PDB file of all heavy atoms in Angstrom:
ATOM      1  N   SER A  63     -10.828  -4.368 -14.640  1.00  0.00           N
ATOM      2  CA  SER A  63      -9.938  -4.576 -15.773  1.00  0.00           C
ATOM      3  C   SER A  63      -9.801  -6.062 -16.088  1.00  0.00           C
ATOM      4  O   SER A  63      -9.857  -6.914 -15.198  1.00  0.00           O
ATOM      5  CB  SER A  63      -8.561  -3.984 -15.460  1.00  0.00           C
ATOM      6  OG  SER A  63      -7.586  -4.448 -16.362  1.00  0.00           O
ATOM      7  N   ASN A  64      -9.615  -6.379 -17.370  1.00  0.00           N
ATOM      8  CA  ASN A  64      -9.350  -7.767 -17.761  1.00  0.00           C
ATOM      9  C   ASN A  64      -7.927  -8.176 -17.409  1.00  0.00           C
ATOM     10  O   ASN A  64      -7.612  -9.362 -17.367  1.00  0.00           O
ATOM     11  CB  ASN A  64      -9.574  -7.940 -19.275  1.00  0.00           C
ATOM     12  CG  ASN A  64     -11.029  -7.768 -19.664  1.00  0.00           C
ATOM     13  OD1 ASN A  64     -11.919  -8.134 -18.899  1.00  0.00           O
ATOM     14  ND2 ASN A  64     -11.269  -7.214 -20.844  1.00  0.00           N
ATOM     15  N   GLU A  65      -7.075  -7.170 -17.173  1.00  0.00           N
ATOM     16  CA  GLU A  65      -5.661  -7.436 -16.905  1.00  0.00           C
ATOM     17  C   GLU A  65      -5.428  -7.969 -15.504  1.00  0.00           C
ATOM     18  O   GLU A  65      -4.570  -8.805 -15.273  1.00  0.00           O
ATOM     19  CB  GLU A  65      -4.853  -6.146 -17.113  1.00  0.00           C
ATOM     20  CG  GLU A  65      -3.353  -6.328 -16.949  1.00  0.00           C
ATOM     21  CD  GLU A  65      -2.587  -5.038 -17.202  1.00  0.00           C
ATOM     22  OE1 GLU A  65      -3.175  -4.099 -17.768  1.00  0.00           O
ATOM     23  OE2 GLU A  65      -1.405  -4.980 -16.817  1.00  0.00           O
ATOM     24  N   ARG A  66      -6.197  -7.488 -14.519  1.00  0.00           N
ATOM     25  CA  ARG A  66      -6.032  -7.945 -13.149  1.00  0.00           C
ATOM     26  C   ARG A  66      -7.392  -8.012 -12.469  1.00  0.00           C
ATOM     27  O   ARG A  66      -8.290  -7.211 -12.714  1.00  0.00           O
ATOM     28  CB  ARG A  66      -5.086  -7.024 -12.372  1.00  0.00           C
ATOM     29  CG  ARG A  66      -5.399  -5.551 -12.438  1.00  0.00           C
ATOM     30  CD  ARG A  66      -4.380  -4.723 -11.657  1.00  0.00           C
ATOM     31  NE  ARG A  66      -3.030  -4.907 -12.103  1.00  0.00           N
ATOM     32  CZ  ARG A  66      -2.467  -4.205 -13.090  1.00  0.00           C
ATOM     33  NH1 ARG A  66      -3.171  -3.295 -13.744  1.00  0.00           N
ATOM     34  NH2 ARG A  66      -1.218  -4.419 -13.433  1.00  0.00           N
ATOM     35  N   ALA A  67      -7.549  -9.011 -11.580  1.00  0.00           N
ATOM     36  CA  ALA A  67      -8.841  -9.247 -10.922  1.00  0.00           C
ATOM     37  C   ALA A  67      -9.042  -8.336  -9.719  1.00  0.00           C
ATOM     38  O   ALA A  67     -10.176  -7.948  -9.411  1.00  0.00           O
ATOM     39  CB  ALA A  67      -8.948 -10.711 -10.494  1.00  0.00           C
ATOM     40  N   VAL A  68      -7.949  -8.015  -9.022  1.00  0.00           N
ATOM     41  CA  VAL A  68      -8.039  -7.210  -7.806  1.00  0.00           C
ATOM     42  C   VAL A  68      -6.868  -6.244  -7.730  1.00  0.00           C
ATOM     43  O   VAL A  68      -5.893  -6.368  -8.473  1.00  0.00           O
ATOM     44  CB  VAL A  68      -8.023  -8.107  -6.534  1.00  0.00           C
ATOM     45  CG1 VAL A  68      -9.214  -9.053  -6.508  1.00  0.00           C
ATOM     46  CG2 VAL A  68      -6.712  -8.873  -6.416  1.00  0.00           C
ATOM     47  N   PHE A  69      -6.985  -5.289  -6.829  1.00  0.00           N
ATOM     48  CA  PHE A  69      -5.837  -4.459  -6.465  1.00  0.00           C
ATOM     49  C   PHE A  69      -5.869  -4.227  -4.965  1.00  0.00           C
ATOM     50  O   PHE A  69      -6.916  -4.360  -4.319  1.00  0.00           O
ATOM     51  CB  PHE A  69      -5.825  -3.124  -7.228  1.00  0.00           C
ATOM     52  CG  PHE A  69      -6.907  -2.154  -6.825  1.00  0.00           C
ATOM     53  CD1 PHE A  69      -6.687  -1.206  -5.847  1.00  0.00           C
ATOM     54  CD2 PHE A  69      -8.147  -2.182  -7.444  1.00  0.00           C
ATOM     55  CE1 PHE A  69      -7.678  -0.298  -5.472  1.00  0.00           C
ATOM     56  CE2 PHE A  69      -9.149  -1.289  -7.090  1.00  0.00           C
ATOM     57  CZ  PHE A  69      -8.914  -0.340  -6.099  1.00  0.00           C
ATOM     58  N   ASN A  70      -4.713  -3.927  -4.400  1.00  0.00           N
ATOM     59  CA  ASN A  70      -4.591  -3.682  -2.964  1.00  0.00           C
ATOM     60  C   ASN A  70      -4.261  -2.215  -2.725  1.00  0.00           C
ATOM     61  O   ASN A  70      -3.490  -1.621  -3.479  1.00  0.00           O
ATOM     62  CB  ASN A  70      -3.477  -4.556  -2.361  1.00  0.00           C
ATOM     63  CG  ASN A  70      -3.733  -6.029  -2.583  1.00  0.00           C
ATOM     64  OD1 ASN A  70      -4.688  -6.585  -2.065  1.00  0.00           O
ATOM     65  ND2 ASN A  70      -2.874  -6.675  -3.367  1.00  0.00           N
ATOM     66  N   MET A  71      -4.834  -1.657  -1.665  1.00  0.00           N
ATOM     67  CA  MET A  71      -4.528  -0.267  -1.310  1.00  0.00           C
ATOM     68  C   MET A  71      -4.106  -0.202   0.145  1.00  0.00           C
ATOM     69  O   MET A  71      -4.723  -0.809   1.021  1.00  0.00           O
ATOM     70  CB  MET A  71      -5.727   0.648  -1.535  1.00  0.00           C
ATOM     71  CG  MET A  71      -5.418   2.126  -1.266  1.00  0.00           C
ATOM     72  SD  MET A  71      -6.576   3.253  -2.073  1.00  0.00           S
ATOM     73  CE  MET A  71      -8.103   2.788  -1.273  1.00  0.00           C
ATOM     74  N   ILE A  72      -3.033   0.539   0.419  1.00  0.00           N
ATOM     75  CA  ILE A  72      -2.496   0.708   1.755  1.00  0.00           C
ATOM     76  C   ILE A  72      -1.895   2.113   1.860  1.00  0.00           C
ATOM     77  O   ILE A  72      -1.196   2.524   0.940  1.00  0.00           O
ATOM     78  CB  ILE A  72      -1.436  -0.385   2.054  1.00  0.00           C
ATOM     79  CG1 ILE A  72      -0.833  -0.206   3.449  1.00  0.00           C
ATOM     80  CG2 ILE A  72      -0.336  -0.423   1.014  1.00  0.00           C
ATOM     81  CD1 ILE A  72       0.064  -1.397   3.884  1.00  0.00           C
ATOM     82  N   ASP A  73      -2.221   2.910   2.799  1.00  0.00           N
ATOM     83  CA  ASP A  73      -2.944   2.717   4.027  1.00  0.00           C
ATOM     84  C   ASP A  73      -4.391   3.179   3.841  1.00  0.00           C
ATOM     85  O   ASP A  73      -4.611   4.210   3.221  1.00  0.00           O
ATOM     86  CB  ASP A  73      -2.237   3.526   5.112  1.00  0.00           C
ATOM     87  CG  ASP A  73      -2.844   3.441   6.489  1.00  0.00           C
ATOM     88  OD1 ASP A  73      -3.641   2.527   6.752  1.00  0.00           O
ATOM     89  OD2 ASP A  73      -2.534   4.307   7.317  1.00  0.00           O
ATOM     90  N   VAL A  74      -5.362   2.448   4.409  1.00  0.00           N
ATOM     91  CA  VAL A  74      -6.756   2.853   4.287  1.00  0.00           C
ATOM     92  C   VAL A  74      -7.341   3.279   5.635  1.00  0.00           C
ATOM     93  O   VAL A  74      -8.546   3.214   5.831  1.00  0.00           O
ATOM     94  CB  VAL A  74      -7.619   1.739   3.652  1.00  0.00           C
ATOM     95  CG1 VAL A  74      -7.204   1.474   2.221  1.00  0.00           C
ATOM     96  CG2 VAL A  74      -7.581   0.451   4.477  1.00  0.00           C
ATOM     97  N   GLY A  75      -6.460   3.722   6.557  1.00  0.00           N
ATOM     98  CA  GLY A  75      -7.012   4.284   7.775  1.00  0.00           C
ATOM     99  C   GLY A  75      -6.280   4.038   9.072  1.00  0.00           C
ATOM    100  O   GLY A  75      -6.748   4.462  10.126  1.00  0.00           O
ATOM    101  N   ALA A  76      -5.124   3.406   9.036  1.00  0.00           N
ATOM    102  CA  ALA A  76      -4.411   3.173  10.294  1.00  0.00           C
ATOM    103  C   ALA A  76      -3.771   4.452  10.826  1.00  0.00           C
ATOM    104  O   ALA A  76      -3.694   4.659  12.042  1.00  0.00           O
ATOM    105  CB  ALA A  76      -3.337   2.097  10.112  1.00  0.00           C
ATOM    106  N   ASN A  77      -3.302   5.311   9.914  1.00  0.00           N
ATOM    107  CA  ASN A  77      -2.589   6.534  10.313  1.00  0.00           C
ATOM    108  C   ASN A  77      -3.122   7.729   9.534  1.00  0.00           C
ATOM    109  O   ASN A  77      -2.982   7.788   8.310  1.00  0.00           O
ATOM    110  CB  ASN A  77      -1.084   6.393  10.030  1.00  0.00           C
ATOM    111  CG  ASN A  77      -0.495   5.146  10.655  1.00  0.00           C
ATOM    112  OD1 ASN A  77      -0.272   5.087  11.850  1.00  0.00           O
ATOM    113  ND2 ASN A  77      -0.253   4.130   9.827  1.00  0.00           N
ATOM    114  N   SER A  78      -3.724   8.670  10.228  1.00  0.00           N
ATOM    115  CA  SER A  78      -4.236   9.867   9.546  1.00  0.00           C
ATOM    116  C   SER A  78      -3.097  10.731   9.017  1.00  0.00           C
ATOM    117  O   SER A  78      -3.211  11.345   7.953  1.00  0.00           O
ATOM    118  CB  SER A  78      -5.096  10.689  10.511  1.00  0.00           C
ATOM    119  OG  SER A  78      -6.251   9.969  10.884  1.00  0.00           O
ATOM    120  N   ASP A  79      -2.010  10.780   9.756  1.00  0.00           N
ATOM    121  CA  ASP A  79      -0.839  11.550   9.344  1.00  0.00           C
ATOM    122  C   ASP A  79       0.297  10.581   9.034  1.00  0.00           C
ATOM    123  O   ASP A  79       0.727   9.824   9.906  1.00  0.00           O
ATOM    124  CB  ASP A  79      -0.411  12.524  10.448  1.00  0.00           C
ATOM    125  CG  ASP A  79      -1.478  13.563  10.734  1.00  0.00           C
ATOM    126  OD1 ASP A  79      -1.929  14.220   9.778  1.00  0.00           O
ATOM    127  OD2 ASP A  79      -1.867  13.707  11.913  1.00  0.00           O
ATOM    128  N   SER A  80       0.754  10.602   7.807  1.00  0.00           N
ATOM    129  CA  SER A  80       1.826   9.702   7.384  1.00  0.00           C
ATOM    130  C   SER A  80       3.052  10.488   6.957  1.00  0.00           C
ATOM    131  O   SER A  80       2.960  11.659   6.579  1.00  0.00           O
ATOM    132  CB  SER A  80       1.352   8.823   6.223  1.00  0.00           C
ATOM    133  OG  SER A  80       0.248   8.038   6.584  1.00  0.00           O
ATOM    134  N   LYS A  81       4.196   9.829   7.013  1.00  0.00           N
ATOM    135  CA  LYS A  81       5.454  10.397   6.543  1.00  0.00           C
ATOM    136  C   LYS A  81       5.843   9.719   5.227  1.00  0.00           C
ATOM    137  O   LYS A  81       5.371   8.615   4.934  1.00  0.00           O
ATOM    138  CB  LYS A  81       6.550  10.174   7.591  1.00  0.00           C
ATOM    139  CG  LYS A  81       6.281  10.865   8.921  1.00  0.00           C
ATOM    140  CD  LYS A  81       7.406  10.609   9.926  1.00  0.00           C
ATOM    141  CE  LYS A  81       7.428   9.162  10.383  1.00  0.00           C
ATOM    142  NZ  LYS A  81       8.426   8.932  11.470  1.00  0.00           N
ATOM    143  N   PRO A  82       6.698  10.337   4.439  1.00  0.00           N
ATOM    144  CA  PRO A  82       7.149   9.694   3.196  1.00  0.00           C
ATOM    145  C   PRO A  82       7.709   8.295   3.436  1.00  0.00           C
ATOM    146  O   PRO A  82       7.461   7.382   2.637  1.00  0.00           O
ATOM    147  CB  PRO A  82       8.232  10.652   2.690  1.00  0.00           C
ATOM    148  CG  PRO A  82       7.828  11.989   3.234  1.00  0.00           C
ATOM    149  CD  PRO A  82       7.240  11.704   4.585  1.00  0.00           C
ATOM    150  N   LEU A  83       8.436   8.120   4.541  1.00  0.00           N
ATOM    151  CA  LEU A  83       8.998   6.811   4.872  1.00  0.00           C
ATOM    152  C   LEU A  83       7.909   5.761   5.014  1.00  0.00           C
ATOM    153  O   LEU A  83       8.062   4.623   4.557  1.00  0.00           O
ATOM    154  CB  LEU A  83       9.795   6.907   6.177  1.00  0.00           C
ATOM    155  CG  LEU A  83      10.279   5.582   6.779  1.00  0.00           C
ATOM    156  CD1 LEU A  83      11.278   4.917   5.846  1.00  0.00           C
ATOM    157  CD2 LEU A  83      10.891   5.808   8.156  1.00  0.00           C
ATOM    158  N   ASN A  84       6.795   6.143   5.653  1.00  0.00           N
ATOM    159  CA  ASN A  84       5.692   5.198   5.833  1.00  0.00           C
ATOM    160  C   ASN A  84       5.152   4.738   4.485  1.00  0.00           C
ATOM    161  O   ASN A  84       4.935   3.533   4.265  1.00  0.00           O
ATOM    162  CB  ASN A  84       4.555   5.836   6.630  1.00  0.00           C
ATOM    163  CG  ASN A  84       4.989   6.368   7.980  1.00  0.00           C
ATOM    164  OD1 ASN A  84       4.557   7.441   8.404  1.00  0.00           O
ATOM    165  ND2 ASN A  84       5.857   5.646   8.672  1.00  0.00           N
ATOM    166  N   ILE A  85       4.924   5.665   3.590  1.00  0.00           N
ATOM    167  CA  ILE A  85       4.362   5.326   2.281  1.00  0.00           C
ATOM    168  C   ILE A  85       5.322   4.447   1.489  1.00  0.00           C
ATOM    169  O   ILE A  85       4.905   3.505   0.801  1.00  0.00           O
ATOM    170  CB  ILE A  85       4.012   6.617   1.512  1.00  0.00           C
ATOM    171  CG1 ILE A  85       2.881   7.359   2.248  1.00  0.00           C
ATOM    172  CG2 ILE A  85       3.608   6.310   0.072  1.00  0.00           C
ATOM    173  CD1 ILE A  85       2.504   8.700   1.645  1.00  0.00           C
ATOM    174  N   ASP A  86       6.603   4.716   1.610  1.00  0.00           N
ATOM    175  CA  ASP A  86       7.615   3.884   0.949  1.00  0.00           C
ATOM    176  C   ASP A  86       7.573   2.453   1.503  1.00  0.00           C
ATOM    177  O   ASP A  86       7.637   1.476   0.743  1.00  0.00           O
ATOM    178  CB  ASP A  86       8.993   4.503   1.144  1.00  0.00           C
ATOM    179  CG  ASP A  86      10.087   3.735   0.428  1.00  0.00           C
ATOM    180  OD1 ASP A  86       9.891   3.383  -0.750  1.00  0.00           O
ATOM    181  OD2 ASP A  86      11.133   3.465   1.049  1.00  0.00           O
ATOM    182  N   GLN A  87       7.454   2.321   2.815  1.00  0.00           N
ATOM    183  CA  GLN A  87       7.369   0.996   3.419  1.00  0.00           C
ATOM    184  C   GLN A  87       6.072   0.291   3.032  1.00  0.00           C
ATOM    185  O   GLN A  87       6.056  -0.930   2.819  1.00  0.00           O
ATOM    186  CB  GLN A  87       7.491   1.104   4.938  1.00  0.00           C
ATOM    187  CG  GLN A  87       8.872   1.524   5.409  1.00  0.00           C
ATOM    188  CD  GLN A  87       8.968   1.702   6.924  1.00  0.00           C
ATOM    189  OE1 GLN A  87       7.958   1.692   7.616  1.00  0.00           O
ATOM    190  NE2 GLN A  87      10.181   1.862   7.417  1.00  0.00           N
ATOM    191  N   TYR A  88       4.981   1.046   2.934  1.00  0.00           N
ATOM    192  CA  TYR A  88       3.708   0.456   2.512  1.00  0.00           C
ATOM    193  C   TYR A  88       3.834  -0.171   1.118  1.00  0.00           C
ATOM    194  O   TYR A  88       3.217  -1.199   0.827  1.00  0.00           O
ATOM    195  CB  TYR A  88       2.598   1.513   2.470  1.00  0.00           C
ATOM    196  CG  TYR A  88       2.261   2.130   3.806  1.00  0.00           C
ATOM    197  CD1 TYR A  88       1.672   3.395   3.870  1.00  0.00           C
ATOM    198  CD2 TYR A  88       2.523   1.464   5.005  1.00  0.00           C
ATOM    199  CE1 TYR A  88       1.349   3.974   5.090  1.00  0.00           C
ATOM    200  CE2 TYR A  88       2.212   2.040   6.227  1.00  0.00           C
ATOM    201  CZ  TYR A  88       1.623   3.296   6.262  1.00  0.00           C
ATOM    202  OH  TYR A  88       1.305   3.877   7.460  1.00  0.00           O
ATOM    203  N   ALA A  89       4.617   0.463   0.259  1.00  0.00           N
ATOM    204  CA  ALA A  89       4.791  -0.061  -1.096  1.00  0.00           C
ATOM    205  C   ALA A  89       5.449  -1.433  -1.074  1.00  0.00           C
ATOM    206  O   ALA A  89       5.048  -2.349  -1.810  1.00  0.00           O
ATOM    207  CB  ALA A  89       5.625   0.915  -1.928  1.00  0.00           C
ATOM    208  N   THR A  90       6.438  -1.596  -0.223  1.00  0.00           N
ATOM    209  CA  THR A  90       7.108  -2.890  -0.102  1.00  0.00           C
ATOM    210  C   THR A  90       6.161  -3.926   0.504  1.00  0.00           C
ATOM    211  O   THR A  90       6.065  -5.063   0.022  1.00  0.00           O
ATOM    212  CB  THR A  90       8.380  -2.764   0.761  1.00  0.00           C
ATOM    213  OG1 THR A  90       9.263  -1.811   0.167  1.00  0.00           O
ATOM    214  CG2 THR A  90       9.089  -4.108   0.878  1.00  0.00           C
ATOM    215  N   LEU A  91       5.446  -3.534   1.565  1.00  0.00           N
ATOM    216  CA  LEU A  91       4.492  -4.441   2.199  1.00  0.00           C
ATOM    217  C   LEU A  91       3.414  -4.875   1.203  1.00  0.00           C
ATOM    218  O   LEU A  91       3.102  -6.062   1.081  1.00  0.00           O
ATOM    219  CB  LEU A  91       3.842  -3.757   3.401  1.00  0.00           C
ATOM    220  CG  LEU A  91       4.746  -3.458   4.608  1.00  0.00           C
ATOM    221  CD1 LEU A  91       4.011  -2.569   5.609  1.00  0.00           C
ATOM    222  CD2 LEU A  91       5.201  -4.741   5.278  1.00  0.00           C
ATOM    223  N   GLY A  92       2.858  -3.907   0.492  1.00  0.00           N
ATOM    224  CA  GLY A  92       1.801  -4.216  -0.461  1.00  0.00           C
ATOM    225  C   GLY A  92       2.275  -5.093  -1.600  1.00  0.00           C
ATOM    226  O   GLY A  92       1.539  -5.975  -2.073  1.00  0.00           O
ATOM    227  N   SER A  93       3.502  -4.885  -2.053  1.00  0.00           N
ATOM    228  CA  SER A  93       4.062  -5.692  -3.133  1.00  0.00           C
ATOM    229  C   SER A  93       4.229  -7.145  -2.709  1.00  0.00           C
ATOM    230  O   SER A  93       3.902  -8.071  -3.458  1.00  0.00           O
ATOM    231  CB  SER A  93       5.411  -5.120  -3.579  1.00  0.00           C
ATOM    232  OG  SER A  93       5.258  -3.842  -4.159  1.00  0.00           O
ATOM    233  N   TYR A  94       4.732  -7.348  -1.496  1.00  0.00           N
ATOM    234  CA  TYR A  94       4.885  -8.711  -0.983  1.00  0.00           C
ATOM    235  C   TYR A  94       3.516  -9.384  -0.836  1.00  0.00           C
ATOM    236  O   TYR A  94       3.362 -10.568  -1.146  1.00  0.00           O
ATOM    237  CB  TYR A  94       5.611  -8.694   0.360  1.00  0.00           C
ATOM    238  CG  TYR A  94       7.110  -8.836   0.240  1.00  0.00           C
ATOM    239  CD1 TYR A  94       7.900  -7.763  -0.195  1.00  0.00           C
ATOM    240  CD2 TYR A  94       7.749 -10.025   0.567  1.00  0.00           C
ATOM    241  CE1 TYR A  94       9.272  -7.878  -0.308  1.00  0.00           C
ATOM    242  CE2 TYR A  94       9.130 -10.159   0.457  1.00  0.00           C
ATOM    243  CZ  TYR A  94       9.886  -9.079   0.022  1.00  0.00           C
ATOM    244  OH  TYR A  94      11.242  -9.209  -0.101  1.00  0.00           O
ATOM    245  N   TYR A  95       2.521  -8.630  -0.367  1.00  0.00           N
ATOM    246  CA  TYR A  95       1.185  -9.196  -0.199  1.00  0.00           C
ATOM    247  C   TYR A  95       0.600  -9.598  -1.558  1.00  0.00           C
ATOM    248  O   TYR A  95       0.060 -10.698  -1.715  1.00  0.00           O
ATOM    249  CB  TYR A  95       0.268  -8.175   0.472  1.00  0.00           C
ATOM    250  CG  TYR A  95      -1.089  -8.739   0.853  1.00  0.00           C
ATOM    251  CD1 TYR A  95      -1.294  -9.323   2.102  1.00  0.00           C
ATOM    252  CD2 TYR A  95      -2.172  -8.696  -0.032  1.00  0.00           C
ATOM    253  CE1 TYR A  95      -2.529  -9.846   2.453  1.00  0.00           C
ATOM    254  CE2 TYR A  95      -3.403  -9.221   0.312  1.00  0.00           C
ATOM    255  CZ  TYR A  95      -3.573  -9.795   1.554  1.00  0.00           C
ATOM    256  OH  TYR A  95      -4.792 -10.325   1.897  1.00  0.00           O
TER     257      TYR A  95
END
């Protein structure tokens, strides 16, 4: 996209089974990154 050069994705393999809480925390971590 011309709007952004990159994007970040989390989680890409640390935990095969995740909980909603984990995904919510990933959003905060990814936003700060």
Side-chain angles (χ1 to χ4, degrees):
S63 165
N64 293 326
E65 184 178 345
R66 51 181 58 87
V68 298
F69 70 92
N70 301 295
M71 184 159 62
I72 179 171
D73 181 17
V74 295
N77 307 284
S78 295
D79 297 307
S80 300
K81 297 180 291 186
L83 171 65
N84 304 140
I85 295 176
D86 183 46
Q87 291 177 350
Y88 296 156
T90 301
L91 292 170
S93 295
Y94 268 75
Y95 188 90

